[in-house]
C-alpha cells in the first residue's frame, strides 16, 4: 500500500512539473483511484510544505501564472475542435511558434481520459500536408517586437534586407501582420516615404522600438485598405479591371472567391467576365497570365496593352532556338 502511494505521489508530482497543473478528477481516473484518494495525497504534500495551491479542482504550484485548460470550462466537443485547430496551426503556423503550439496541444490532450482521444489529438496533424510549402526563417523575437509596437502604438526603426537594394533602414509604423503568397508580411507606413507598404517579415534583420508614438488606425480602416490589395501591393489608387474567361475555365474560376470586390457576369456563349477593383495591377496581370489563353483582359485598355507587350516579349524569347 505504501509502495502504491509513493508511486502515485511520484506520478502526481511529475504531472504537475511537466504540465504546470493537474486536475484531480481527470488524473484520478487516469491513475485508477478516487478523487478523494488523490485529494488526500495533495493534502499530505501541502502539509509537508510543498507550495501547491488549489483552484476549481486544479492543482498548481504557488506563484505559477499558468492557466490550466480545465479552468476554461470547455466541453469535450469544444476541446476536440480546439485540438483540431491546434493541429492545423502546427502545420500552418509552425515556423512562427512551434514550441508553444506543441505545448498547448500536449496540455489539451492530457485533459482527455480516453487514451484513444489523447493519441488522436497528438497524432492527427500527421494527416495534413502543405505541399511544397515555402520555409522561411521568421524570428520569433521580430514578431513579438512587431506585436508590442502595434499594441502600444510605438514606431520602429527597421533594418531590412531588400532583394535588390541590400540592407535599407527606415522608420516604420506597423498596422497588421498579413499572410499572403505563402509568406508573412507586415503592413504599415514607411515614415520617410509617407507610403503604406508590405514588408516580408523574414527579411527584417533588426527592429528597435523608438520613443515616438503614432496614431494607430482603427481595425475597420486597416481592413478597408487591405480589401483593395490583390496580393501584396498597396496603393491609394485602385483600378477596375475586367477579364473574360473561356467556358472551359469557368468552373475552376467560380469555385473560389478570388477577391472581396469581385463581380462575375455570365455571357450567352458560356464564358464569364470577372471584374475586380484592386490597387496592384501588375501582380494581377501575372495572375491572369497563369490562365494562359483561357483568360483575356478586356479593360482598361492601357492594362490590356501592357499585357499584349508582355506576351509579345515572351513570344520573342520562346521563338529563339535554345542553345545549351
Amino acid at each position: 500500500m505504501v509502495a502504491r502511494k509513493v508511486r502515485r505521489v511520484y506520478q502526481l508530482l511529475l504531472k504537475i512539473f511537466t504540465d504546470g497543473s493537474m486536475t484531480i478528477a481527470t488524473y484520478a481516473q487516469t491513475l485508477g483511484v478516487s478523487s478523494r484518494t488523490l485529494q488526500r495525497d495533495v493534502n499530505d504534500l501541502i502539509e509537508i510544505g510543498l507550495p501547491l495551491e488549489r483552484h476549481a479542482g486544479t492543482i498548481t504550484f504557488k506563484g505559477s501564472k499558468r492557466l490550466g485548460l480545465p479552468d476554461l470550462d470547455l466541453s469535450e466537443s469544444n476541446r476536440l475542435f480546439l485540438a483540431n485547430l491546434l493541429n492545423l496551426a502546427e502545420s500552418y503556423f509552425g515556423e512562427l511558434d512551434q514550441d508553444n503550439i506543441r505545448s498547448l496541444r500536449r496540455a489539451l490532450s492530457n485533459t482527455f481520459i480516453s487514451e484513444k482521444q489523447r493519441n488522436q489529438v497528438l497524432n492527427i496533424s500527421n494527416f495534413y500536408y502543405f505541399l511544397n510549402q515555402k520555409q522561411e526563417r521568421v524570428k520569433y523575437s521580430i514578431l513579438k517586437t512587431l506585436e508590442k509596437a502595434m499594441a502600444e502604438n510605438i514606431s520602429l526603426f527597421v533594418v531590412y534586407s531588400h532583394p535588390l537594394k541590400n540592407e535599407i533602414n527606415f522608420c516604420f509604423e506597423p498596422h497588421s501582420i498579413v499572410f499572403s503568397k505563402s509568406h508573412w508580411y507586415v503592413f504599415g507606413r514607411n515614415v520617410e516615404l509617407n507610403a503604406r507598404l508590405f514588408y516580408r517579415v523574414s527579411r527584417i534583420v533588426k527592429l528597435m522600438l523608438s520613443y515616438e508614438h503614432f496614431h494607430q488606425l482603427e481595425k475597420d480602416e486597416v481592413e478597408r485598405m487591405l480589401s483593395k490589395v490583390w496580393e501584396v501591393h498597396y496603393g491609394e489608387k485602385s483600378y477596375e479591371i475586367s477579364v473574360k474567361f473561356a467556358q472551359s475555365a469557368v468552373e475552376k474560376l467560380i469555385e473560389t472567391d478570388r477577391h472581396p470586390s469581385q463581380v462575375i457576369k455570365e455571357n450567352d456563349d458560356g464564358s464569364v467576365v470577372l471584374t475586380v477593383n484592386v490597387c496592384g495591377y501588375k501582380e494581377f496581370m501575372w495572375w491572369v497570365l497563369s490562365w494562359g489563353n483561357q483568360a483575356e483582359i478586356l479593360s482598361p485598355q492601357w492594362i490590356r496593352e501592357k499585357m499584349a507587350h508582355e506576351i509579345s516579349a515572351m513570344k520573342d524569347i520562346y521563338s529563339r532556338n535554345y542553345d545549351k
Side-chain angles (χ1 to χ4, degrees):
M1 182 175 178
V2 173
R4 285 201 301 269
K5 179 167 183 174
V6 170
R7 190 181 305 112
R8 194 169 61 241
V9 169
Y10 168 78
Q11 292 174 311
L12 186 157
L13 289 173
L14 182 63
K15 173 74 173 174
I16 299 175
F17 273 116
T18 302
D19 298 337
S21 65
M22 184 270 299
T23 304
I24 289 178
T26 301
Y27 202 54
Q29 293 187 43
T30 301
L31 296 178
V33 298
S34 68
S35 297
R36 294 185 64 182
T37 296
L38 204 57
Q39 183 64 64
R40 284 196 296 269
D41 292 340
V42 171
N43 292 340
D44 291 342
L45 292 172
I46 292 174
E47 284 183 13
I48 64 174
L50 207 66
L52 299 175
E53 59 185 2
R54 304 180 185 88
H55 176 68
T58 299
I59 309 301
T60 61
F61 283 107
K62 286 185 178 178
S64 172
K65 294 182 178 179
R66 291 191 183 185
L67 176 66
L69 285 171
D71 294 342
L72 298 178
D73 193 27
L74 299 176
S75 67
E76 183 174 298
S77 61
N78 290 153
R79 284 180 286 142
L80 284 171
F81 178 72
L82 181 57
N84 285 332
L85 288 180
L86 287 171
N87 286 324
L88 285 172
E90 184 175 359
S91 297
Y92 207 62
F93 299 104
E95 64 188 27
L96 301 182
D97 202 3
Q98 194 171 71
D99 289 342
N100 278 334
I101 292 171
R102 288 180 175 177
S103 176
L104 273 173
R105 198 180 64 192
R106 282 195 301 269
L108 184 61
S109 71
N110 289 332
T111 68
F112 291 100
I113 298 172
S114 164
E115 183 177 356
K116 181 180 179 181
Q117 287 180 324
R118 288 199 301 273
N119 291 335
Q120 178 183 346
V121 169
L122 290 172
N123 298 326
I124 200 168
S125 62
N126 296 329
F127 305 129
Y128 289 87
Y129 292 90
F130 290 86
L131 194 61
N132 299 324
Q133 184 180 8
K134 296 180 176 66
Q135 295 295 322
E136 293 186 294
R137 290 186 174 89
V138 178
K139 296 178 181 176
Y140 188 61
S141 59
I142 295 290
L143 281 178
K144 300 314 290 183
T145 304
L146 286 171
E147 290 174 1
K148 181 178 177 64
M150 289 186 287
E152 300 181 17
N153 304 338
I154 303 174
S155 59
L156 294 163
F157 294 114
V158 181
V159 180
Y160 187 77
S161 179
H162 195 282
L164 301 177
K165 303 175 184 178
N166 298 319
E167 282 192 2
I168 58 175
N169 306 289
F170 53 90
C171 186
F172 187 65
E173 299 172 352
H175 298 319
S176 60
I177 297 172
V178 179
F179 188 76
S180 181
K181 294 181 65 178
S182 299
H183 296 290
W184 288 101
Y185 295 83
V186 58
F187 174 66
R189 177 174 172 263
N190 182 313
V191 176
E192 283 79 5
L193 299 178
N194 191 26
R196 288 188 168 86
L197 302 167
F198 287 87
Y199 292 98
R200 194 184 293 184
V201 175
S202 62
R203 291 178 181 163
I204 297 176
V205 178
K206 189 175 182 180
L207 285 182
M208 293 169 285
L209 295 167
S210 74
Y211 296 101
E212 299 293 329
H213 285 75
F214 69 96
H215 175 69
Q216 183 63 276
L217 299 179
E218 296 293 334
K219 187 174 185 292
D220 57 351
E221 179 65 10
V222 174
E223 289 178 349
R224 184 191 66 79
M225 291 178 174
L226 295 178
S227 70
K228 297 195 298 179
V229 174
W230 181 253
E231 288 181 339
V232 291
H233 178 86
Y234 174 77
E236 296 296 333
K237 186 175 182 180
S238 59
Y239 309 93
E240 184 174 280
I241 309 174
S242 294
V243 185
K244 181 181 178 181
F245 286 85
Q247 183 180 9
S248 57
V250 170
E251 185 175 349
K252 182 179 177 182
L253 173 73
I254 64 176
E255 68 183 3
T256 303
D257 288 338
R258 305 289 173 173
H259 194 262
S261 68
Q262 73 176 41
V263 175
I264 296 178
K265 180 182 176 182
E266 297 180 3
N267 296 323
D268 293 339
D269 62 357
S271 65
V272 300
V273 175
L274 170 73
T275 300
V276 296
N277 198 299
V278 296
C279 47
Y281 74 87
K282 286 185 179 179
E283 54 192 18
F284 184 78
M285 283 173 52
W286 309 144
W287 176 74
V288 173
L289 276 172
S290 72
W291 290 83
N293 64 1
Q294 294 181 309
E296 173 191 1
I297 291 182
L298 302 179
S299 65
Q301 181 63 28
W302 63 272
I303 294 183
R304 182 180 172 88
E305 291 171 0
K306 282 182 177 292
M307 179 67 88
H309 177 76
E310 186 69 28
I311 294 172
S312 177
M314 292 173 64
K315 182 177 181 295
D316 290 342
I317 291 174
Y318 285 98
S319 295
R320 298 194 296 265
N321 289 328
Y322 172 62
D323 294 324
K324 291 185 178 179

